[in-house]
Amino acid sequence: MAKSKFEYVKQFEVEDKCLPNCWIVIRVDGKAFHRFTDSHHFVKPNDDRGLTLMTRAAQAVMEEYNDVVLAYGQSDEYTFVFRRNTNVFNRRGSKIMSNVVSLFTSSYVFHWGRYFNTQTMQYPPSFDGRWVLYPTDKNLKDYLSWRQADCHINNLYNTCFWKLVQESGMTPAQAQERLKGTLSSDKNELLYTEFNLNYNHLPELYRKGSVIIRKQDTDIIEKNHLDGNSSLSSSSSFSPRNSVSFGYHIEQTPRISTKIDVLHCDIIGEKFWTDHPHILSFKK
């Protein structure tokens, strides 16, 4: 690019390169989504169309950026976790965040008709974003646990709130007053005694949110190594049985797949991380 006397203005740009060896987390959040959901007649407290559309937009982000090893979503927000050693956009925080938010928003609009059929979008939705660095695996796991705990707390409250409004005929103000100061146990009791609803029987999508991961393929790459001075003609047939008789050793290496899976499960306990150890050790 040709230089000009105006090029000095680049000196005003702020360097926002993320620290190395840290998990880069981008959280996308709906702006004024209460108004958006009311204007588009979302089902309360949970609209399957809206939740599935959010996940479809998140999948578009993961399909574009292979360095995203996990995404977690609930309500009108989605979190994207970039691997610790990613060098996407030279680790420039604002660049990563703006691209993720832009693609997520455009994908939400692009796929709207697939989930809302003939319902016309009344005005364009808006999402904001933030980026945070987490230096340890524990910090990252605690962050994701915080978001899933938030999903449970909000969904339990909203389930009670809308039951009182929709089925008991309360006004929103009355329902809010009724729930003021109640504990989780009180809300569970309210749902069971007044509406014959066991909260734990609600879909896990509502109670736990959505987790998108890159599943580890079960395919095995077999690498053959000669032991000692043994040799084998390239024309000879090879099998594990032959490998023993000819002194071969088979090294088995798991192949990582780019297949994306959507789960609705607990990520606060250790079982999730034990079942999917490749997430924290994911290498490109």
Side-chain angles (χ1 to χ4, degrees):
M1 182 180 294
K3 294 183 178 294
S4 74
K5 65 179 181 180
F6 307 111
E7 193 172 353
Y8 78 93
V9 297
K10 288 178 61 66
Q11 299 174 22
F12 290 87
E13 294 183 10
V14 178
E15 177 69 27
D16 63 345
K17 192 171 182 178
C18 299
L19 290 172
N21 200 35
C22 290
W23 297 100
I24 300 177
V25 171
I26 308 293
R27 187 163 85 241
V28 178
D29 207 347
K31 181 178 181 295
F33 244 59
H34 286 296
R35 181 169 67 92
F36 183 84
T37 57
D38 287 343
S39 299
H40 294 87
H41 311 292
F42 277 44
V43 176
K44 301 296 179 67
N46 292 290
D47 191 303
D48 288 342
R49 302 167 302 171
L51 293 173
T52 310
L53 175 56
M54 288 283 293
T55 295
R56 182 63 190 88
Q59 285 178 289
V61 174
M62 290 194 69
E63 289 163 1
E64 178 68 20
Y65 299 106
N66 290 328
D67 283 3
V68 176
V69 297
L70 178 147
Y72 174 75
Q74 53 115 345
S75 186
D76 64 341
E77 71 172 55
Y78 244 101
T79 289
F80 301 92
V81 179
F82 284 79
R83 60 189 179 90
R84 296 175 68 109
N85 61 340
T86 182
N87 198 38
V88 63
F89 297 120
N90 201 27
R91 295 183 71 89
R92 291 166 57 194
S94 60
K95 191 81 169 180
I96 300 172
M97 181 185 69
S98 60
N99 273 273
V100 168
V101 174
S102 174
L103 179 57
F104 185 92
T105 305
S106 62
S107 298
Y108 188 94
V109 174
F110 182 81
H111 292 291
W112 172 268
R114 177 178 175 183
Y115 299 95
F116 284 83
N117 300 319
T118 58
Q119 183 172 336
T120 304
M121 186 175 283
Q122 300 300 311
Y123 63 90
S126 177
F127 294 88
D128 62 39
R130 71 201 70 187
W131 62 272
V132 185
L133 302 180
Y134 291 105
T136 70
D137 293 353
K138 184 181 186 302
N139 293 151
L140 175 65
K141 290 161 71 174
D142 285 348
Y143 165 80
L144 293 168
S145 296
W146 170 48
R147 299 322 302 148
Q148 187 166 70
D150 184 77
C151 174
H152 162 69
I153 293 170
N154 288 339
N155 187 66
L156 179 57
Y157 180 91
N158 289 333
T159 300
C160 292
F161 178 88
W162 287 105
K163 280 290 184 181
L164 292 171
V165 171
Q166 295 169 348
E167 298 186 24
S168 292
M170 289 186 179
T171 65
Q174 290 172 331
Q176 188 174 17
E177 185 62 28
R178 171 72 185 278
L179 295 173
K180 186 177 181 180
T182 57
L183 304 175
S184 293
S185 57
D186 301 322
K187 296 181 181 70
N188 276 289
E189 182 68 17
L190 182 152
L191 291 174
Y192 189 77
T193 58
E194 297 191 25
F195 303 102
N196 194 31
L197 174 64
N198 186 328
Y199 178 77
N200 290 324
H201 291 168
L202 290 177
E204 289 188 318
L205 167 62
Y206 305 159
R207 296 183 290 114
K208 300 183 184 300
S210 298
V211 186
I212 312 178
I213 63 173
R214 300 186 188 279
K215 189 172 183 180
Q216 188 173 31
D217 203 335
T218 56
D219 290 346
I220 297 294
I221 305 172
E222 293 186 349
K223 296 180 179 179
N224 308 327
H225 296 279
L226 286 171
D227 289 335
N229 296 320
S230 300
S231 62
L232 185 64
S233 169
S234 60
S235 62
S236 302
S237 61
F238 180 83
S239 69
R241 180 177 300 174
N242 289 338
S243 69
V244 175
S245 61
F246 285 97
Y248 269 75
H249 169 66
I250 300 177
E251 177 185 323
Q252 295 185 331
T253 304
R255 175 184 287 121
I256 302 299
S257 168
T258 56
K259 179 182 177 183
I260 293 175
D261 276 359
V262 180
L263 310 174
H264 310 293
C265 62
D266 177 75
I267 58 175
I268 297 177
E270 282 300 316
K271 185 178 186 305
F272 172 81
W273 303 102
T274 302
D275 290 345
H276 308 285
H278 62 284
I279 295 174
L280 295 180
S281 60
F282 198 97
K283 293 185 182 350
K284 188 173 181 179

